[in-house]
Amino acid sequence: MPGRDTPASSPGCGVRPVRGLVFDCDGVLFDTRDVNRFYYNHILEKLGLAPMTAEEEDYSFMHTVDVSLARLVPAELMPRLPEVVGHMTYDEFIDRMIPEPGLGDLLESLQIRGVRMAVNTNRKNSMEKVLERFHLTGFFSPVMTAAKVSRPKPHPEGLLRIAEEWGMPVEHMAYLGDSSVDQDAARGAGVPFWAYKNRGLRAELHVDSFHELRQWLESVGQ
């Protein structure tokens, strides 16, 4: 196994090619820091609360909406949440999402090589709409969200269900994520973890860009 600082493009890194690659959404497929911040701060403003702190931003970026709101909103204001959220539509926020540079080229390269692709995210009901908006629906199957599992990340259920649907041994897959929640989900499932733009994570492969990842996969005949 390569050292934790080994870049994806390094020759001889010893990481095996995969038959299936699972992507996290936020922070991997898309830069969604801005939309995430805007979404939660919009709710907090409607409730008369201060914007998120930096720590709260990090927390909400990794966890489900329900878990994040439970941390952000005081118990006495919780009864007002359904009314506030009920007047919001995700269409107000989706255009703030920024696809990662090189995403289309990477997905097309993997598709040509017959590598299966899926999504495992703690988003609930917006993931399919996001993929449709950015014309990415045809690349991913299944799309596993927090609404489709009984236990979202960091529990490994989503990854295990993807492996089951693919009929693929977990060691032939990899999970590309950017947080400790992703790392723990992969570890729990026994799926090799590839860390995206986060060298503080323990991973078999550290990837700094999709361009770099595509070059490496092509170099190893993936």
Side-chain angles (χ1 to χ4, degrees), residues 91-127:
D91 293 337
E92 302 175 55
F93 309 100
I94 195 170
D95 286 335
R96 290 175 175 263
M97 298 179 68
I98 303 172
E100 278 292 304
L103 173 60
D105 290 341
L106 173 64
L107 299 182
E108 289 175 3
S109 178
L110 290 170
Q111 190 174 63
I112 289 170
R113 287 165 173 76
V115 178
R116 301 193 71 167
M117 291 172 279
V119 174
N120 186 42
T121 176
N122 271 346
R123 285 177 172 265
K124 292 188 72 176
N125 302 314
S126 61
M127 193 65 237

Side-chain angles (χ1 to χ4, degrees), residues 92-201:
E92 302 175 55
F93 309 100
I94 195 170
D95 286 335
R96 290 175 175 263
M97 298 179 68
I98 303 172
E100 278 292 304
L103 173 60
D105 290 341
L106 173 64
L107 299 182
E108 289 175 3
S109 178
L110 290 170
Q111 190 174 63
I112 289 170
R113 287 165 173 76
V115 178
R116 301 193 71 167
M117 291 172 279
V119 174
N120 186 42
T121 176
N122 271 346
R123 285 177 172 265
K124 292 188 72 176
N125 302 314
S126 61
M127 193 65 237
E128 283 83 358
K129 180 175 287 191
V130 168
L131 294 177
E132 182 179 352
R133 163 66 179 79
F134 290 95
H135 309 291
L136 299 173
T137 303
F139 289 105
F140 302 105
S141 181
V143 175
M144 202 62 60
T145 69
K148 298 177 183 178
V149 297
S150 58
R151 294 157 295 185
K153 298 183 299 183
H155 196 277
E157 180 183 346
L159 287 173
L160 292 173
R161 286 181 55 182
I162 291 169
E164 181 180 8
E165 182 165 330
W166 282 350
M168 185 181 298
V170 293
E171 61 268 20
H172 292 171
M173 301 164 47
Y175 184 36
L176 185 65
D178 69 320
S179 71
S180 59
V181 170
D182 299 323
Q183 172 190 276
D184 293 346
R187 182 181 302 169
V191 173
F193 180 59
W194 294 359
Y196 191 67
K197 292 185 176 180
N198 189 341
R199 291 187 171 257
L201 298 174

